[in-house]
Amino acid sequence: MACGKVDNPWGLVIIASAFWIQFVSFGMATSFGVYIVELLHHFDVSLPFISLIGSVNIGLFLGAGPLASVLMRKMSYRRVCFLGAVLSTSGLIVLPFTMNMIYLLFFYGIVTGIGYCLLYVPSHTMSGLYYDKHRSLATGVATAGSGLGGIVFPNLVQYLIDEYGWRGSLLLVAGLNMNTFIFSALLRDSPMQKAQKAKEKLFIQLEDLKRNESSNQFEKENLIRDVDDSELVLESSEGEVSRIQIIGANGKAETYGVKTFVAENSDDSQNENINSNSIWSVMLSLWKNIPFCIYVVNNILWNFGTVIPLILGPEYFTTIGFSQTESATLISLFSGGSFVGCVLGGVIGNIPQINRLYLYIFVNLSVGVVGLLIPLDIAHSMVGLAIVGIVWGTMFGLLLGLLVVVTADLVGIQYLGDAMGFLMLANGIGCIAGPPIGGWVGEATASPATAFYVSALAVIASGLLMVFIPVSLKICKPPGERAHNLTLDVRVARNE
């Protein structure tokens, strides 16, 4: 399929839906730090345990990506998002009636976390499938929803807590979360997905025709309704020329010519089949991709480091003299920078002259260096932390805006949905581990600032690890760049 035909006007609706899904889901996830202060006063539990609830939520939010990938193979992206809307809303509605922290851990940490993952992965992936030339900008704008949610939700949640208590605020947030049903309903298959499904359907019919030599027509109604006039690629062992007769809904027979031929390509991909629905074959292909494996480890360390300021930040800011409202405002400024960074990352990533991988490495290291300023006394004023937060958030958003396009660059567009699932698992591992370890380190050293040093050093380490990718790319090509050994090029044209 020609790349230019991927773009579609409905893609603007997809971007808007993905934007608002991330606005709600990330907004709520990043607001849990505001609830930590209230929960510490209401329940007699330690800070590491309460932070574990938030980290489990964010961890499953991202870490259940493989589950989302499997479901995306079994059903439409829209249905997966609907399931996510059901789970996340159900988990939030139950929270005001919970009596202890175990229920909060289960319903908010697990149920809502999985629900948000099933909302995020399909919608975010689809924003990248609708566009080719402007994919970086499309995914950057969609990702900006997470930054805007981080700006609005902490202050909104703090206001709702002041007015209705933490239980009442959760019930109102659950009502806001029900809007995800509307956004999910707007998601429909991209032209690329439609062509892929039509291709697979046509391949099955061709195989049936091949097995039954006496057949000269397909009984499948409107067989190629979704197949455009561009070429389709299927696997075959030999070339042939056939004529297909399609029986339409009105009973009228229409004849189509199907010309097929075999193209021989690299032996490296002899046993690969990109049209296979086997998740195991996809996993094998991805884990043979050394740059992608490095990228996965990078995401574990990066999320381990960046989630600590988002979850432990509000409580830490209160220990150094800021009020709860001021702490919520600082977290909003962090997210405000993220909002700008997501859009900026999408714009910059769309410039052909800029190497997106090198940009990712530079920004990654910058997040870690700026993060070292958070626990320093020189930055402990409202203005100082506001400046640090905006810069840190902008760099953070730049990475989020580049996440999908860098993944596509490393594995190829055909593997994007599956790669995003496994990448989310890596993100989840980092997010689950970060806050509890950060909270434990702060208590063990009797210095909450230590957790933020650990956070910054982990981010710097993740950036240094990415330096090995340019080297590995010269040694082995990612699966998306490999040609397949045997392909059948099928051109379908109606005979007048």
Side-chain angles (χ1 to χ4, degrees):
M1 177 178 295
C3 291
K5 294 187 178 181
V6 176
D7 294 350
N8 189 287
W10 191 259
L12 297 176
V13 179
I14 300 299
I15 293 174
S17 298
F19 178 94
W20 290 112
I21 285 175
Q22 294 195 41
F23 171 80
V24 175
S25 55
F26 273 94
M28 183 57 196
T30 56
S31 297
F32 187 75
V34 179
Y35 283 105
I36 285 181
V37 180
E38 295 295 326
L39 296 175
L40 281 173
H41 294 161
H42 193 275
F43 296 99
D44 186 18
V45 292
S46 64
L47 175 61
F49 183 80
I50 292 182
S51 64
L52 176 64
I53 297 175
S55 63
V56 167
N57 176 269
I58 297 180
L60 288 176
F61 186 162
L62 303 174
L67 172 62
S69 293
V70 171
L71 292 176
M72 287 156 60
R73 284 177 163 267
K74 302 298 182 182
M75 63 182 74
S76 69
Y77 286 18
R78 177 189 292 171
R79 290 182 179 179
V80 177
C81 281
F82 264 117
L83 179 59
V86 170
L87 289 176
S88 59
T89 303
S90 299
L92 290 173
I93 288 177
V94 173
L95 290 181
F97 308 101
T98 56
M99 302 304 296
N100 56 55
M101 298 298 292
I102 301 300
Y103 289 105
L104 281 171
L105 176 62
F106 177 75
F107 286 106
Y108 179 76
I110 298 177
V111 176
T112 302
I114 293 176
Y116 280 153
C117 178
L118 299 184
L119 278 166
Y120 170 70
V121 176
S123 62
H124 196 40
T125 302
M126 187 170 285
S127 68
L129 294 178
Y130 259 85
Y131 292 92
D132 187 5
K133 181 179 178 181
H134 302 292
R135 182 176 296 122
S136 178
L137 180 59
T139 57
V141 172
T143 307
S146 62
L148 183 61
I151 297 173
V152 174
F153 266 76
N155 290 293
L156 175 63
V157 166
Q158 187 62 59
Y159 170 77
L160 294 176
I161 290 174
D162 293 340
E163 293 293 324
Y164 306 102
W166 69 269
R167 295 183 186 272
S169 69
L170 285 170
L171 193 60
L172 292 172
V173 169
L176 292 174
N177 194 79
M178 295 183 73
N179 286 285
T180 56
F181 285 99
I182 299 174
F183 306 139
S184 299
L186 296 174
L187 302 178
R188 70 186 188 193
D189 288 346
S190 67
M192 179 183 295
Q193 292 170 297
K194 291 179 180 180
Q196 177 69 17
K197 290 180 179 179
K199 179 200 313 181
E200 293 173 354
K201 181 167 61 176
L202 181 59
F203 177 69
I204 293 173
Q205 297 293 349
L206 283 170
E207 288 296 310
D208 290 341
L209 181 62
K210 186 176 180 180
R211 285 192 293 266
N212 186 0
E213 295 181 357
S214 63
S215 297
N216 62 358
Q217 66 177 22
F218 291 124
E219 299 296 335
K220 188 72 173 179
E221 181 179 313
N222 295 327
L223 175 64
I224 57 173
R225 178 176 54 189
D226 293 329
V227 181
D228 59 18
D229 292 332
S230 61
E231 64 181 20
L232 300 175
V233 179
L234 303 170
E235 287 201 350
S236 177
S237 59
E238 62 183 22
E240 59 179 282
V241 178
S242 305
R243 302 183 76 82
I244 303 176
Q245 192 175 56
I246 309 298
I247 308 300
N250 57 3
K252 181 179 178 181
E254 298 177 346
T255 303
Y256 295 79
V258 178
K259 182 179 180 180
T260 65
F261 62 90
V262 175
E264 294 286 344
N265 296 310
S266 170
D267 292 336
D268 292 340
S269 56
Q270 183 173 357
N271 297 321
E272 295 184 13
N273 176 13
I274 63 173
N275 295 322
S276 171
N277 285 324
S278 171
I279 190 67
W280 300 111
S281 65
V282 173
M283 286 179 60
L284 180 61
S285 296
L286 289 175
W287 294 119
K288 287 165 58 179
N289 184 341
I290 295 177
F292 178 70
C293 293
I294 297 174
Y295 192 44
V296 168
V297 179
N298 160 267
N299 272 258
I300 293 176
L301 292 174
W302 182 74
N303 280 274
F304 175 92
T306 55
V307 76
I308 289 176
L310 296 176
I311 296 296
L312 301 182
E315 195 275 336
Y316 172 69
F317 296 147
T318 59
T319 63
I320 59 176
F322 293 98
S323 67
Q324 293 183 21
T325 301
E326 290 173 330
S327 297
T329 300
L330 287 172
I331 293 297
S332 295
L333 291 175
F334 276 55
S335 300
S338 176
F339 172 76
V340 175
C342 288
V343 179
L344 189 60
V347 173
I348 296 177
N350 229 40
I351 301 175
Q353 291 79 12
I354 294 181
N355 186 303
R356 291 189 288 231
L357 179 59
Y358 292 149
L359 175 63
Y360 185 97
I361 295 172
F362 171 77
V363 176
N364 192 331
L365 291 171
S366 299
V367 172
V369 172
V370 175
L372 288 172
L373 301 176
I374 296 177
L376 296 181
D377 291 339
I378 193 174
H380 288 178
S381 65
M382 194 66 184
V383 174
L385 282 176
I387 294 174
V388 171
I390 292 174
V391 175
W392 187 92
T394 302
M395 298 295 180
F396 178 85
L398 275 167
L399 279 184
L400 290 181
L402 293 170
L403 183 67
V404 172
V405 290
V406 171
T407 304
D409 290 342
L410 293 178
V411 305
I413 188 63
Q414 69 269 34
Y415 285 105
L416 180 59
D418 299 294
M420 284 296 294
F422 293 115
L423 201 62
M424 292 303 100
L425 174 61
N427 294 344
I429 293 173
C431 288
I432 289 176
I437 293 178
W440 175 80
V441 168
E443 288 192 346
T445 59
S447 173
T450 308
F452 292 85
Y453 287 118
V454 172
S455 163
L457 292 176
V459 175
I460 292 174
S462 70
L464 294 175
L465 183 64
M466 287 289 289
V467 176
F468 291 99
I469 288 187
V471 177
S472 63
L473 282 174
K474 295 180 180 179
I475 300 175
C476 58
K477 294 181 180 180
E481 296 181 0
R482 297 175 187 164
H484 290 265
N485 185 51
L486 290 177
T487 61
L488 177 63
D489 186 17
V490 181
R491 289 182 176 88
V492 182
R494 179 177 175 180
N495 295 327
E496 299 295 342

